[in-house]
Amino acid sequence: MKIGNKLRGLRSEKGFSTMEIAERLDVSESTYRRYESDKSFPDIFTLEKIAKIYDKSFLELLPEEIVINNQQQGGTSTNAIVVNQLSEKLVEQYEARIKNLEEQLTYWKDKSK
């Protein structure tokens, strides 16, 4: 199961609105909705906050493929696999954000000429 399905299910189970969860996480409602629709993945710190809100462990929120991947590799360090895979996803997110900011910067520099 993907993380979005887990988050949506937990939120519904607890009776929270997306706005309530977003406020507790200090993110926009649209950001939280992207988490639930699997269009974005929360960073490790946000994931920890989410786990606390739902009284779950951090690992229970992770997508099954991350946990399965670790078991198939025969590793004993779940955290190393998780952090490595989360880091790759975070790098992709940050690169996309940097690209967007660079485009905005170029736009405003051109506009001020």
Side-chain angles (χ1 to χ4, degrees), residues 14-37:
K14 296 282 187 175
F16 292 126
S17 70
T18 54
M19 180 58 87
E20 289 172 311
I21 298 298
E23 286 175 355
R24 291 180 74 173
L25 295 174
D26 198 27
V27 298
S28 70
E29 184 179 15
S30 63
T31 296
Y32 185 76
R33 285 178 188 236
R34 284 195 302 269
Y35 298 157
E36 284 194 0
S37 64

Side-chain angles (χ1 to χ4, degrees), residues 13-99:
E13 190 178 288
K14 296 282 187 175
F16 292 126
S17 70
T18 54
M19 180 58 87
E20 289 172 311
I21 298 298
E23 286 175 355
R24 291 180 74 173
L25 295 174
D26 198 27
V27 298
S28 70
E29 184 179 15
S30 63
T31 296
Y32 185 76
R33 285 178 188 236
R34 284 195 302 269
Y35 298 157
E36 284 194 0
S37 64
D38 290 313
K39 292 180 181 173
S40 182
F41 195 87
D43 64 40
I44 198 164
F45 302 108
T46 303
L47 203 55
E48 183 65 31
K49 288 181 187 178
I50 293 169
K52 287 180 182 177
I53 290 170
Y54 295 128
D55 296 321
K56 299 289 180 185
S57 77
F58 174 85
L59 293 175
E60 288 178 271
L61 297 179
L62 294 175
E64 290 175 6
E65 59 269 11
I66 290 176
V67 178
I68 290 169
N69 184 18
N70 184 49
Q71 291 171 350
Q72 288 174 348
Q73 292 179 10
T76 57
S77 177
T78 302
N79 293 338
I81 299 297
V82 169
V83 169
N84 186 31
Q85 290 185 2
L86 288 177
S87 295
E88 290 174 16
K89 183 68 175 174
L90 286 173
V91 168
E92 290 174 16
Q93 290 175 351
Y94 284 123
E95 286 174 344
R97 180 69 177 139
I98 288 169
K99 182 180 177 187

